[in-house]
Amino acid sequence: MLTGEVGTGKTTVCRCLLEQLSSNVRLAYILNPKLDAIELMATMCDELGIEYEPGEKSLKAFTDLLRDRLLENHEQGLNTVLMIDEAQNLSVEVMEQIRLLTNLETNERKLLQIILIGQPELQELLAKKELRQLAQRITARYHLKPLSLKETASYIEHRLRVAGIQRPLIKSSAIKQIYQSSGGVPRLINIITDRALLGAFVERRNTINDTVVKKAVNEVLGNYEEKKSSRAGNSRWWFAAASVVFVILLSYIVVKQALKPADFVEEKELSQNTESKTQSSSGVDTISEMRSPLVRATTNDEVAEQFWQEQSWDRTGFVSARNLFALWGVSYYPYQSGEPCDYALNYNLNCDSGRADWAYIKQLNRPVNLKFSTETSGHFWGTLKEIDGDYLVLQFADNEVRVLPRRLNPLWQGEYQLFWKAPDGFNEHAKKGDSGATVRWLTDAIYSIDQVDISPADYFSQKVEDWLILFQMENGLVSDGILGKHSVIMINNHVIANIPKLVNDLSVAQRGAQ
């Protein structure tokens, strides 16, 4: 059972849970709890895809259908979950029916897990004597409390940082006032702070002080003091002006976004492509096919701004981690799934990070997250997802761009992070004299690449070392005959077909940066 006051984040927690459910979960999610017992059972059947006779009114019939599906799911190793939001609106009759559902079980386990989410009145409801049996079956309870002053400050700072703000924007006294006015309720914190940001924009302030917050609180919560009519008029005018300016600003952003194409090419190439024409079969001149270019940028900051356009910049690397995981077919939720490298281990992926140049990145031939920076804009992350001829294809949040490597050189100082697959039993390195699963993987790879049969297959012999030294020399690695992670990555380029690569044609990837 999860409870909390209005606006404390119950629905947010619920959505977070829904986003992270594994594939072996079958969920019945009930949003409207104002149902009778029959309607509850019918809704559960609808959610779980259970067919029943139209107009069915028998609780026994619904219970039998539900029991059969739960047993079927159990046999297939599936977990069935019933989640009810706004559960404080459930009637005593329906609560009793929920209790009866908890009786559906095998000798080993319950067939149905139930999550109740509601306001504090849910606790009062379950305190009723007639519901004591259900209350005793609740194995975990949590009550979401409002944030403290310190938590409120951290929360606002986090929201601003995610939005791309790196400097102090709201004075501590103003944050204290936001906390006092909102009572620490996240929803009210969001609304008041949002209105304060709008007010500061209208008044052309670089920081938000107590005065701006007071106006925001008055507009949001209606805490108007007795004022003269002129001052009341001024307050209404302040909000009206803010609304008008906000609409104008929003229109400008929409138009600007619509006019911005999605790709980045050199001005010289743009001129050539725009002027070049071909003769179609019908004799009509047509413009040569080309990608729409971005407006030419002259400074590093302008380049960075055109990468991101109107999106929030990824300062932490979490958004880029989401994009990199997606290339591996893994769903990652920024700020929820934890540190990317720790999360990767759940999917048998390892992290590699360090510094390199374009030639070495091409040699590794893996999609990679790159850390960029400019003197004014600070640092940010982006995902290099493909090499298309001379161009790099990068993704910044939801925006994809194509750019020549030399245009990125002033922004990228060589820092990278990528994911890779390690062979079974691999622990940092393997060398001559070792044996085991990793060595067996290596000898299998040698046979796959060069059809060289090595025996015994699980012993790192002189013959294995000789082959590895030659492979390392050919691929620009330190030719020490020791199997390290970069040797594994490059061997995988030859032996694994279904891993994401920057270039699928190895001959192209091995040319290196020009």
Side-chain angles (χ1 to χ4, degrees), residues 439-454 457 464 467 471 488 490-498 501 506:
V439 180
R440 180 59 186 256
W441 169 87
L442 178 56
T443 56
D444 287 346
I446 292 173
Y447 183 81
S448 176
I449 296 171
D450 287 333
Q451 288 72 54
V452 175
D453 192 0
I454 296 178
V464 173
W467 182 92
F471 179 86
V488 171
M490 292 189 184
I491 290 173
N492 279 339
N493 286 336
H494 296 267
V495 299
I496 301 181
N498 61 345
K501 300 175 183 177
L506 281 175

Side-chain angles (χ1 to χ4, degrees), residues 12-30:
T12 300
V13 172
C14 178
R15 288 175 178 171
C16 179
L17 173 62
L18 294 178
E19 289 176 350
Q20 298 182 65
L21 288 178
S22 59
S23 58
N24 69 332
V25 173
R26 296 297 178 265
L27 174 71
Y29 185 25
I30 297 179

Side-chain angles (χ1 to χ4, degrees), residues 403-454:
V403 59
L404 291 171
R406 62 184 177 83
R407 293 304 300 270
L408 291 176
N409 288 338
L411 287 77
W412 182 55
Q413 306 304 315
E415 189 169 346
Y416 73 90
Q417 185 178 80
L418 58 79
F419 300 135
W420 61 286
K421 280 187 173 295
D424 291 341
F426 183 80
N427 185 16
E428 296 188 2
H429 64 268
K431 61 185 185 302
K432 188 171 71 172
D434 290 346
S435 60
T438 298
V439 180
R440 180 59 186 256
W441 169 87
L442 178 56
T443 56
D444 287 346
I446 292 173
Y447 183 81
S448 176
I449 296 171
D450 287 333
Q451 288 72 54
V452 175
D453 192 0
I454 296 178

Side-chain angles (χ1 to χ4, degrees), residues 486-513:
H486 288 182
S487 294
V488 171
I489 290 173
M490 292 189 184
I491 290 173
N492 279 339
N493 286 336
H494 296 267
V495 299
I496 301 181
N498 61 345
I499 55 175
K501 300 175 183 177
L502 293 175
V503 183
N504 286 317
D505 183 355
L506 281 175
S507 62
V508 175
Q510 292 170 350
R511 291 175 194 165

